Amino acid sequence: MLNRPSSSDERDMKTELRGQVNAQLNLPNKREANNPDKDLARNLGDFLVDEGFISEIGINRGSWGYKYENKAINISGVPMPKAQYDYYIFRLGRDPNGGKELFPLIGDETDQYRFLHEVGHAYQDYLIHQESPDNPEGWYDRVLADGGVAVNSNFELLFRYCFKKRVENPGKGLSTWGNVPDYESVQDQASQYATRAVEDANELIVMYLWNPQYLRTFLDYLSGKIPGYGDANLQEDGLIKISAEEVEALKLAIEEYIAGMKQEISK
């Protein structure tokens, strides 16, 4: 007969896992510049461990990819190639006061950023279970069943917008991570759009968690406000150009999502 772990053993395991997650979220000091939410990423990691939505950190042997699946975050077993770094990591944005670049540099900083990206997916998983406790797998069908009209949460609002943009602009989206070629394996077109939209929504939130100015720079890029960058760059990146009005609406949606996150963490 197997012995179940005691409550003290479970506490010790969670404490150890929190330490491992905190080590991965030991983010560079530069992202703290003018960042009112500099501690939110680490607090989110602790919260998701305590709630059971991060239960393990594993390694993708022989792969440069990171993945969140079945409550586990798997980190890469080999370094991210520079060509992939150059495409997937948005490399603009500076601290307006000190002038330091805010984007993650290739190597350790990008590994930390990508771990944070998977933490963002873990929080999405938490929200789905909160919003659809009886049928988490059916959350997407429920959200999209009414044609994308009703909005019941900040997550739904952001996901619906990203999904709508994917449907209207095949092959493009609101993040490079939503363009990962592996998603071509999702045969149903609506499901593929949804998979890519989840990535888009998550990346926008992760950019904020890294540094709000980093997100603002990206939204300026999407709306053509950065001198020297325009439609040709967006086309090359597989990104959609959005209007100034859409930028403001997105900022509001993300702020409300973050406010909800803080509320959940403080319960």
Side-chain angles (χ1 to χ4, degrees), residues 104-148:
L105 301 179
I106 192 168
D108 290 344
E109 288 186 5
T110 294
D111 289 344
Q112 293 162 341
Y113 184 86
R114 294 169 70 205
F115 189 88
L116 179 59
H117 180 95
E118 302 311 322
V119 170
H121 280 310
Y123 184 65
Q124 287 179 327
D125 191 23
Y126 168 82
L127 290 178
I128 286 170
H129 280 75
Q130 291 294 302
E131 296 174 12
S132 187
D134 297 330
N135 183 21
E137 295 80 9
W139 183 88
Y140 299 98
D141 291 335
R142 176 180 63 77
V143 169
L144 299 173
D146 60 7

Side-chain angles (χ1 to χ4, degrees), residues 67 178-193 195-196:
K67 189 173 187 179
N179 295 336
V180 171
D182 290 356
Y183 300 144
E184 293 292 339
S185 64
V186 181
Q187 296 298 312
D188 178 72
Q189 191 62 72
S191 296
Q192 186 181 132
Y193 286 145
T195 301
R196 295 184 185 280

